[in-house]
Amino acid sequence: MTKTKLEYRCTECGTATPKWAGRCTACDAWNSMVEDVRGAPSSHGASAAAPAVPIGEVDAQFSQPHPTGIAELDRVLGGGLVPGSVTLLGGEPGIGKSTILLQLLAQWPTRTLYVSAEESAQQVRLRAERLQAVQPHLWLVPETSLPHIIAAIDQVQPTLVVVDSIQSIADPDVPSAPGSVVQVRECAHRLVGEAKRRGVPVVLVGHVTKEGGLAGPRVLEHVVDTVLSFEGDRHHSLRLLRAVKHRFGPTNELGVFEMAGHGLQGVPDASRLFLTDRRTGVAGSAVVPTLEGQRPLLVEVQALTNTIRDGVPPRRSAQGIDAGRLALLLAVLERRARWRVGNQEVFASAVGGVRLTEPGADLPVCMALVSALANQPLPPDLVVFGEVGLAGELRQVAHASRRLAEAARMGFRRAIVPANTPDGVEGISLMRVATVAEALAAVGLSGTSPS
Ligand code: TYD
Ligand code: MG
């Protein structure tokens, strides 16, 4: 039996301290320290000692992923769900977590169990009808108590378990409210143990706070094997799935879904979807062939600028583009390309809820900004990519040919690229430039900005 001792734990980052504090010393969150019991997890997690074996005798077959039958999910998971693994699916309420997991359970070839801790069996049944997920091998238990959930797993003997959600279940032996760090961590530890012991994959739903963190218990991220994040605008149908942490594969693949009347549909041709609403001939728009993991995607970058009165600090707003990066690019435009931006309020966004985090998006952001400033559209058949340095120089980015091939496939015919980009692809002519100023001059934007 482990000795228990009282301590304080941050609900945001999980850092423990012996003394209570108003602000977490690790993540600076206010009022996030709550009472916790040290040594508690091991009381449940205790199991027989595992024997040491030579590495060659370890059965690697066991950790082969099983395809889920949902291609976009398999893409993000690197093939499927690994037996005995625990996956946390995080996302804002209403984004479609329950929907996609019900679809997953229905498509799984053998018996599955859905633990519904938030909705009644009737509600789940109604949704399942809509999703054509009323399958004989899909079992359902509306339950919030951890021992009852484990009893249901014993009864059903499923080959896949979904718990919706980890924040609404509780172990009655733990003297803490459902959703508290202690409860969430205890329940997660227990379910991880069950998953490993039975060799059954378990998927946990986790609610996400407004700030984007997994509500309270970031501790969960350490407990599970995989953390998936489901994003998108609730008011639009597009949904993006990413792996934030993945013990069994890469974390940079993107899954794209569309929420339809009968559930989430995979979108294999994401470039087409991202460009559907694009209007050509409008100033302040540039198209970038970006890379999400192995997947090339064409994304529109938009910018809007407005001259403001002297003395008023101009507003800078970035959506899907890093705000610090936007500030840097504005400084480069001002100093290295002689476009006056200091007196401009600036809005820049990546369309469709995409986050452009890779450096290849630097040049397209610059070109969209200057196109907006000069009120002059870029050519409709042009794509742009390249990393911008502080001297205004352009640096090449990885996988140029894959980017260009995708652009050519989508009907683009011209590309502005960094000077030392390797060979191009058929159907698209390259304009190689060494600096941001040269890139702008290549489309006739060499003047200075209107004052
Ligand atoms: P849900 O899966 O309940 O979200 P979460 O579990 O993340 O909170 O999704 C709810 C939303 O999805 C709701 O606004 C209705 C919509 N929806 C559809 O558009 N089509 C469908 O087929 C289903 C089942 C839901
Ligand atoms: Mg739900």
Side-chain angles (χ1 to χ4, degrees):
M1 190 63 203
T2 326
K3 229 170 128 193
T4 57
K5 184 167 178 268
L6 205 62
E7 63 182 7
Y8 296 89
R9 188 175 290 279
C10 173
T11 52
E12 291 299 321
C13 71
T15 300
T17 58
K19 269 211 202 119
W20 188 84
R23 186 178 199 180
C24 172
T25 49
C27 72
D28 290 340
W30 286 99
N31 295 325
S32 63
M33 305 304 286
V34 295
E35 262 182 29
D36 191 8
V37 181
R38 190 159 81 198
S42 45
S43 62
H44 278 313
S47 57
V53 291
I55 191 164
E57 288 174 22
V58 174
D59 184 6
Q61 268 326 97
F62 184 70
S63 57
Q64 288 301 310
H66 286 201
T68 63
I70 300 177
E72 294 293 304
L73 181 58
D74 287 342
R75 182 201 296 272
V76 176
L77 288 169
L81 286 168
V82 171
S85 70
V86 178
T87 302
L88 178 67
L89 176 64
E92 285 180 19
I95 206 78
K97 301 182 293 298
S98 304
T99 304
I100 194 171
L101 292 177
L102 213 45
Q103 289 179 269
L104 164 67
L105 292 164
Q107 303 225 6
W108 195 256
T110 42
R111 190 180 282 187
T112 55
L113 178 64
Y114 183 66
V115 179
S116 176
E118 291 180 358
E119 291 170 306
S120 69
Q122 290 70 25
Q123 280 173 304
V124 177
R125 160 87 207 231
L126 279 176
R127 170 170 317 155
E129 276 173 14
R130 203 168 154 189
L131 301 173
Q132 284 163 3
V134 184
Q135 304 288 344
H137 68 276
L138 169 44
W139 289 57
L140 171 65
V141 59
E143 187 54 74
T144 56
S145 154
L146 186 66
H148 294 171
I149 291 168
I150 291 174
I153 299 176
D154 280 331
Q155 177 212 338
V156 176
Q157 294 289 322
T159 56
L160 170 64
V161 178
V162 167
V163 178
D164 190 355
S165 69
I166 187 69
Q167 280 119 334
S168 16
I169 65 170
D171 184 345
D173 289 342
V174 175
S176 197
S180 68
V181 201
V182 186
Q183 270 296 358
V184 166
R185 194 192 47 200
E186 273 301 310
C187 292
H189 266 290
R190 204 49 204 288
L191 289 167
V192 167
E194 293 297 325
K196 299 273 179 286
R197 197 161 64 77
R198 297 165 194 261
V200 166
V202 172
V203 182
L204 310 174
V205 170
H207 294 297
V208 156
T209 58
K210 278 189 250 47
E211 295 79 38
L214 280 169
R218 233 192 260 161
V219 271
L220 264 188
E221 297 183 11
H222 308 297
V223 178
V224 299
D225 299 298
T226 301
V227 180
L228 301 180
S229 146
F230 210 21
E231 302 159 16
D233 187 340
R234 207 145 48 96
H235 306 291
H236 292 95
S237 59
L238 195 66
R239 299 286 182 276
L240 305 177
L241 184 71
R242 297 169 200 275
V244 180
K245 164 186 174 177
H246 194 24
R247 282 200 179 130
F248 312 105
T251 54
N252 52 5
E253 292 300 336
L254 177 75
V256 183
F257 294 91
E258 218 174 345
M259 181 63 98
H262 47 282
L264 287 150
Q265 308 296 313
V267 180
D269 191 354
S271 290
R272 200 170 299 279
L273 184 75
F274 286 136
L275 293 179
T276 35
D277 295 331
R278 174 175 171 249
R279 287 178 55 215
T280 51
V282 178
S285 158
V287 175
V288 51
T290 186
L291 274 185
E292 283 280 353
Q294 296 296 307
R295 183 176 200 172
L297 272 187
L298 294 190
V299 177
E300 182 185 1
V301 176
Q302 290 188 333
L304 186 65
T305 60
N306 253 327
T307 309
I308 51 157
R309 273 184 296 124
D310 279 346
V312 181
R315 180 162 166 204
R316 268 80 213 265
S317 156
Q319 219 171 46
I321 296 165
D322 180 65
R325 202 72 200 163
L326 176 63
L328 181 149
L329 296 173
L330 286 167
V332 170
L333 283 177
E334 177 108 26
R335 292 295 306 279
R336 308 293 183 194
R338 307 223 161 269
W339 283 89
R340 193 165 170 225
V341 289
N343 63 342
Q344 300 287 326
E345 70 177 353
V346 172
F347 302 88
S349 72
V351 176
V354 186
R355 271 183 293 150
L356 289 174
T357 49
E358 58 120 3
D362 286 355
L363 184 60
V365 170
C366 288
M367 296 197 63
L369 283 166
V370 173
S371 161
L373 266 173
N375 198 21
Q376 184 184 316
L378 298 174
D381 62 348
L382 177 79
V383 292
V384 185
F385 61 87
E387 179 177 358
V388 171
L390 287 180
E393 83 281 17
L394 290 182
R395 294 155 187 270
Q396 54 171 313
V397 291
H399 304 300
S401 56
R402 206 177 294 162
R403 295 168 195 259
L404 291 167
E406 179 73 355
R409 185 180 76 82
M410 294 301 295
F412 290 85
R413 293 289 162 258
R414 283 185 274 178
I416 296 184
V417 299
N420 34 16
T421 297
D423 288 347
V425 301
E426 205 178 315
I428 199 154
S429 68
L430 299 192
M431 289 180 259
R432 295 169 185 276
V433 291
T435 64
V436 175
E438 276 182 31
L440 293 167
V443 289
L445 288 168
S446 46
T448 43
S449 38
S451 51

